[in-house]
Amino acid sequence: MTTIRLWTDEEVSANPRVKAVFDDIRLTRNSEFINNFWRALANDPDALERTWAAIRQIMIAPGALDPLTKELIYIAVSAAHSCSYCVHSHTAAARAKGMTPAQHAELVAIIALASQTNALATALQIPVDPEFEAGTIPR
Amino acid sequence: MTTIRLWTDEEVSANPRVKAVFDDIRLTRNSEFINNFWRALANDPDALERTWAAIRQIMIAPGALDPLTKELIYIAVSAAHSCSYCVHSHTAAARAKGMTPAQHAELVAIIALASQTNALATALQIPVDPEFEAGTIPR
Amino acid sequence: MTTIRLWTDEEVSANPRVKAVFDDIRLTRNSEFINNFWRALANDPDALERTWAAIRQIMIAPGALDPLTKELIYIAVSAAHSCSYCVHSHTAAARAKGMTPAQHAELVAIIALASQTNALATALQIPVDPEFEAGTIPR
Amino acid sequence: MTTIRLWTDEEVSANPRVKAVFDDIRLTRNSEFINNFWRALANDPDALERTWAAIRQIMIAPGALDPLTKELIYIAVSAAHSCSYCVHSHTAAARAKGMTPAQHAELVAIIALASQTNALATALQIPVDPEFEAGTIPR
Amino acid sequence: MTTIRLWTDEEVSANPRVKAVFDDIRLTRNSEFINNFWRALANDPDALERTWAAIRQIMIAPGALDPLTKELIYIAVSAAHSCSYCVHSHTAAARAKGMTPAQHAELVAIIALASQTNALATALQIPVDPEFEAGTIPR
Amino acid sequence: MTTIRLWTDEEVSANPRVKAVFDDIRLTRNSEFINNFWRALANDPDALERTWAAIRQIMIAPGALDPLTKELIYIAVSAAHSCSYCVHSHTAAARAKGMTPAQHAELVAIIALASQTNALATALQIPVDPEFEAGTIPR
């Protein structure tokens, strides 16, 4: 159940702005499959173009972090926000980019550990150490 | 302002269980500095030992992910949970492990992008694609 | 799957306190339909009365904001809390109050944008400008 | 305390990409004041340009919702995410756009009410009514 | 720094509706001290009366849970929402109601443990066991 | 739909480390039923052992809080984190430990009340009273 209509391929073909983004997604990913996220965003071509452009710039263009590391970070944020759709889609994406079961297990362990120590720091309202300003302290 | 007392080095020295953990933290990190998180946890030696053991096992022991990647994931979770203490402490830790300004910028960009698409997926209640079950779809 | 029993109309009719609230909901909304939220709250008549009274006072009584604006704010909070039930029910309510597809698209875009800049401010731990105290700064 | 350096006006002037965005912010808002959010984002010109472009497109360009309504929605999301910086900056922005004390009080009451019913729906795991699919049910 | 003015005792005395609530808070708590939460809510007498009435009904009136247990639950929710003000005020309240250091340590340990297993269940998207419907399974 | 395989009893029997934990869960709970949470964790024996050890130490070993109070706190955290699996499993666990319908109603009312006042404190950015440092103020 969704709060918005998901666009079919026929509807996409009839709208040049939406079609251009879908074509670029297919070309970039080298796959015919377009997931529901984009079929929902198609209702707002501005949002569709803006979101795909940001993903191209941040996730796909070469950068300082490798593609798999980026997906692991994405999964971590999605889990912390309790976004079921996003955990599913980005776990699938990470596997497609080579995430091994051991890496997945370690990712999930870190997410759980961070959630635990986040809760400790918040429940105890621990004051930030002035030493962290300098950014030179190991953990 | 905290909701719990932070232990001084004198108090730590007087409690063998707490002292053993603090000694191991100093030895492992090769630094005399102990941050407030541990001085707060010292009030509950069980929690102190359990938390440090988990950090040793997950963050410090060699694994499938490198130490810097682990810190980036930790920062992502901490930011999503709005944990000020944790964002500060783990950003400092990531810098100590070699995080460059370009990597930091990219990390923050991914956190913001994921927060944005998480919000889109949740606000539109987009149904999970059955294809994600198989875990073979690129994004 | 729920953690509490949903009351049927027969059960409601047999309990005067619950029936009074359900009657007022039907009268106020001019509709026979009562959604599951109220059928769940019926298990606790105090909570049922308190919650309906708050909704009457805040959402239904004339105020400084118009009814549709109130629903848009409600959807924004519900999406940020990842409350699937609430996103569905209040998106339906907003449509019943005249929300157009263009307004819905804009609402969702603002929710996503705010989630993104919230994440940036938190991940970077940006200090609050003293100018905001005065409440006179445009964005 | 922040995890990133805030750019001074001198540094901004020395970087053409950053200066162009700051100039446009000043021109668009008709104010010399630039808040810390932008001085932090200046560290990543891509993020700075992308974020300002999204704010121009969503918050400033004429659309289906009026500027004050947009700010109220922004505050609601920021409060739900517990983003102190964002609550402060957007409450100031809403006041600059004419938010009255009565409107502010009503906004805060709706945020609190939604948080309360979100919690009820989640704690009771209430199933979504199939009637909401059609989007025609009043509340 | 707050987004709203905190009322002084002089201002409270000049407003009969606000004064009536403040008088009742002082009488109920048997203390002259009124914390900032109420001084902020005073700006909206409807919200002030509604919130105090709910606290009287849920937290103060005799019920199925004892007063200290209620405060522990309140702290748990406040920590999970990363509400600094609320963690401080309700930890103080719990201590005033007799919370021992051992009980506090155990509370914080449960909050951290639940945050950890919540994260595991969400990151792994574990399906709910049908057996939980019946509510008869021990953990 | 899950992002990880759930282990069958046959698979568990073939792995001594996993089998040892499952045997201890069955013995401790005096029940043959093992819920999906553990069948998912079985993929990472380290996480399985660490999580079960923490639950034994915090939730099952005698402590300063009684077992039912511990479960109520667990439910409160799980609801605040919007963890559907956890709300279901711990509500079932609380019922198994004797939670009455009146206690459940009161728990849910406190969760909703705290969510409401958390939102008020955050939306208004109310400053923490210095009196709370001492921990002696009743609410």
Side-chain angles (χ1 to χ4, degrees), chain E residues 4-132:
Chain E
I4 201 106
R5 202 166 43 79
L6 303 176
W7 284 37
T8 64
D9 283 339
E10 289 66 36
E11 291 169 303
V12 168
S13 297
N15 183 310
R17 285 180 68 192
V18 172
K19 182 174 184 303
V21 174
F22 274 50
D23 285 350
D24 194 46
I25 295 175
R26 287 193 165 102
L27 188 68
T28 304
R29 293 177 168 178
N30 192 27
S31 163
E32 278 306 296
F33 175 70
I34 301 270
N35 53 312
N36 288 340
F37 180 79
W38 303 106
R39 297 182 184 283
L41 278 199
N43 290 283
D44 179 357
D46 281 346
L48 179 70
E49 291 174 352
R50 194 170 52 231
T51 306
W52 175 242
I55 286 183
R56 283 203 68 122
Q57 188 175 32
I58 297 168
M59 296 299 284
I60 297 173
L65 300 173
D66 67 275
L68 179 53
T69 298
K70 290 179 181 177
E71 285 294 344
L72 300 180
I73 294 165
Y74 218 116
I75 294 170
V77 174
S78 302
H81 284 144
S82 201
C83 179
S84 177
Y85 185 87
C86 315
V87 169
H88 275 293
S89 64
H90 287 279
T91 301
R95 286 196 173 115
K97 287 176 182 162
M99 180 178 70
T100 65
Q103 288 173 322
H104 188 220
E106 216 156 292
L107 166 68
V108 171
I110 297 168
I111 293 171
L113 175 62
S115 300
Q116 175 186 9
T117 60
N118 288 180
L120 289 169
T122 300
L124 297 173
Q125 291 288 303
I126 303 173
V128 179
D129 305 73
E131 286 84 353
F132 290 145

Side-chain angles (χ1 to χ4, degrees), chain C:
Chain C
M1 209 163 135
T2 170
T3 66
I4 201 106
R5 204 166 43 78
L6 303 176
W7 284 37
T8 63
D9 283 338
E10 289 67 38
E11 292 169 302
V12 169
S13 296
N15 184 310
R17 284 181 69 193
V18 173
K19 183 175 182 304
V21 174
F22 274 50
D23 285 350
D24 194 45
I25 294 175
R26 287 193 166 105
L27 188 68
T28 305
R29 293 176 169 180
N30 192 27
S31 162
E32 278 306 295
F33 177 69
I34 301 270
N35 53 312
N36 288 339
F37 181 79
W38 302 107
R39 296 182 185 283
L41 279 199
N43 290 283
D44 180 356
D46 282 346
L48 178 70
E49 291 174 352
R50 194 170 52 231
T51 307
W52 175 241
I55 286 183
R56 282 203 69 124
Q57 188 176 30
I58 297 168
M59 296 298 284
I60 297 174
L65 300 173
D66 66 275
L68 178 53
T69 297
K70 290 179 181 177
E71 285 294 344
L72 300 181
I73 294 165
Y74 219 116
I75 294 170
V77 174
S78 302
H81 283 144
S82 201
C83 179
S84 177
Y85 185 87
C86 315
V87 170
H88 276 295
S89 64
H90 287 279
T91 301
R95 285 196 172 116
K97 286 176 183 163
M99 180 178 70
T100 65
Q103 287 173 324
H104 188 219
E106 217 157 290
L107 166 68
V108 171
I110 298 167
I111 293 171
L113 175 63
S115 300
Q116 176 186 8
T117 60
N118 289 179
L120 289 169
T122 300
L124 297 173
Q125 291 289 304
I126 303 173
V128 178
D129 304 72
E131 286 84 353
F132 290 144
E133 186 86 58
T136 56
I137 307 305
R139 161 159 295 190

Side-chain angles (χ1 to χ4, degrees), chain A residues 107-130:
Chain A
L107 166 69
V108 171
I110 297 167
I111 293 172
L113 174 64
S115 300
Q116 176 186 9
T117 60
N118 289 180
L120 289 168
T122 300
L124 298 173
Q125 291 288 303
I126 302 172
V128 179
D129 305 73

Side-chain angles (χ1 to χ4, degrees), chain E residues 1-4 6 29 31 33 35-37 40-41 51 54-55 58-59 63-65 69-74 76-78 80-81 83 85-86 88-90 92-93 95-97 102-103 106-107 109-111 113-115 117-118 120-129 131-132 135 137-139, chain F residues 1-4 6 29 33 35-38 40-41 51 54-55 58-59 63-65 69-74 76-78 80-81 83 85-86 88-90 92-93 95-97 102-103 106-107 109-111 113-115 117-118 120-129 131-132 135 137-139:
Chain E
M1 208 163 136
T2 169
T3 66
I4 201 106
L6 303 176
R29 293 177 168 178
S31 163
F33 175 70
N35 53 312
N36 288 340
F37 180 79
L41 278 199
T51 306
I55 286 183
I58 297 168
M59 296 299 284
L65 300 173
T69 298
K70 290 179 181 177
E71 285 294 344
L72 300 180
I73 294 165
Y74 218 116
V77 174
S78 302
H81 284 144
C83 179
Y85 185 87
C86 315
H88 275 293
S89 64
H90 287 279
R95 286 196 173 115
K97 287 176 182 162
Q103 288 173 322
E106 216 156 292
L107 166 68
I110 297 168
I111 293 171
L113 175 62
S115 300
T117 60
N118 288 180
L120 289 169
T122 300
L124 297 173
Q125 291 288 303
I126 303 173
V128 179
D129 305 73
E131 286 84 353
F132 290 145
I137 307 305
R139 157 160 295 190
Chain F
M1 208 164 136
T2 169
T3 66
I4 201 106
L6 304 176
R29 293 178 169 178
F33 176 70
N35 52 312
N36 288 339
F37 181 78
W38 303 106
L41 278 200
T51 307
I55 286 183
I58 298 168
M59 297 298 284
L65 301 173
T69 297
K70 289 179 181 178
E71 285 294 345
L72 300 181
I73 295 166
Y74 219 115
V77 174
S78 302
H81 283 144
C83 180
Y85 185 86
C86 316
H88 276 295
S89 63
H90 287 278
R95 285 195 173 117
K97 286 176 182 163
Q103 288 174 322
E106 216 157 292
L107 166 69
I110 297 168
I111 293 171
L113 175 63
S115 300
T117 60
N118 288 180
L120 289 169
T122 301
L124 297 173
Q125 291 288 304
I126 302 173
V128 179
D129 305 72
E131 286 84 352
F132 289 144
I137 307 306
R139 160 161 297 191

Side-chain angles (χ1 to χ4, degrees), chain B residues 29-40:
Chain B
R29 294 177 168 180
N30 192 27
S31 163
E32 279 306 296
F33 176 70
I34 301 269
N35 53 311
N36 288 339
F37 181 78
W38 303 107
R39 297 184 184 282

Side-chain angles (χ1 to χ4, degrees), chain B residues 67-131:
Chain B
L68 178 53
T69 297
K70 289 179 181 177
E71 285 294 345
L72 300 180
I73 295 165
Y74 219 115
I75 294 170
V77 174
S78 302
H81 284 144
S82 201
C83 179
S84 177
Y85 185 88
C86 315
V87 169
H88 275 295
S89 64
H90 287 280
T91 301
R95 285 196 173 117
K97 286 176 183 163
M99 180 178 70
T100 66
Q103 288 174 322
H104 188 220
E106 217 156 293
L107 166 69
V108 171
I110 298 168
I111 293 171
L113 174 63
S115 300
Q116 175 187 8
T117 60
N118 289 180
L120 289 169
T122 301
L124 297 173
Q125 291 288 303
I126 303 173
V128 179
D129 304 72
E131 286 84 352

Side-chain angles (χ1 to χ4, degrees), chain D residues 14-125:
Chain D
N15 183 311
R17 284 182 67 192
V18 172
K19 182 175 183 304
V21 174
F22 274 51
D23 285 350
D24 194 46
I25 294 175
R26 288 192 165 105
L27 188 68
T28 304
R29 293 178 169 179
N30 193 26
S31 162
E32 279 305 297
F33 176 70
I34 300 270
N35 53 312
N36 288 339
F37 181 78
W38 303 107
R39 296 183 185 282
L41 277 199
N43 290 282
D44 180 357
D46 281 346
L48 178 70
E49 291 174 352
R50 195 171 51 231
T51 307
W52 175 241
I55 286 183
R56 282 203 69 122
Q57 186 175 32
I58 298 168
M59 297 299 284
I60 297 173
L65 301 172
D66 66 274
L68 179 53
T69 297
K70 290 178 181 177
E71 285 294 345
L72 300 181
I73 294 165
Y74 218 115
I75 295 170
V77 174
S78 302
H81 284 144
S82 201
C83 180
S84 177
Y85 185 86
C86 315
V87 170
H88 276 295
S89 63
H90 287 279
T91 301
R95 285 196 173 116
K97 287 177 182 163
M99 180 178 71
T100 65
Q103 288 173 323
H104 188 219
E106 216 156 291
L107 167 68
V108 171
I110 298 168
I111 293 171
L113 174 63
S115 300
Q116 176 186 9
T117 60
N118 289 179
L120 288 168
T122 300
L124 297 172
Q125 291 288 304

